[in-house]
Amino acid sequence: TPVLIQQLKEGLQTRNFDAIHSAAHSLKSNIDTLDITTIKAVVRQIETLATEKKGMEELELLIPVLESTLLKVTQQFKAREIT
């Protein structure tokens, strides 16, 4: 997942809709499997915007939301592994 987040950020920096779509599509499966309901709609919106090759300004807002939520979830999983 950190690799996919990095791919999203790089796609955003280079304005590469195809890279954003590819990373979002892969993340969508992970998010669905882990049932992270708070960002299911966000990752789908990112994927849709990238597919339609529009909304770069919106993507600049959505991708950090996705990243911060996934970071929190990852930290929660790690905390559970320790206890």
Side-chain angles (χ1 to χ4, degrees), residues 9-67:
K9 291 165 66 173
E10 288 173 4
L12 196 57
Q13 287 178 334
T14 59
R15 305 182 81 70
N16 183 336
F17 285 108
D18 292 332
I20 294 169
H21 174 267
S22 177
H25 184 75
S26 296
L27 277 170
K28 182 176 70 174
S29 298
N30 295 340
I31 289 166
D32 287 347
T33 299
L34 295 171
D35 198 30
I36 308 171
T37 56
T38 55
I39 53 173
K40 281 185 175 186
V42 173
V43 75
R44 282 167 171 71
Q45 191 171 4
I46 291 169
E47 184 182 28
T48 298
L49 288 169
T51 299
E52 296 172 354
K53 299 188 184 312
K54 64 179 186 180
M56 191 58 73
E57 297 80 17
E58 193 170 356
L59 289 168
E60 290 172 349
L61 299 173
L62 292 171
I63 289 172
V65 169
L66 182 69
E67 179 183 19

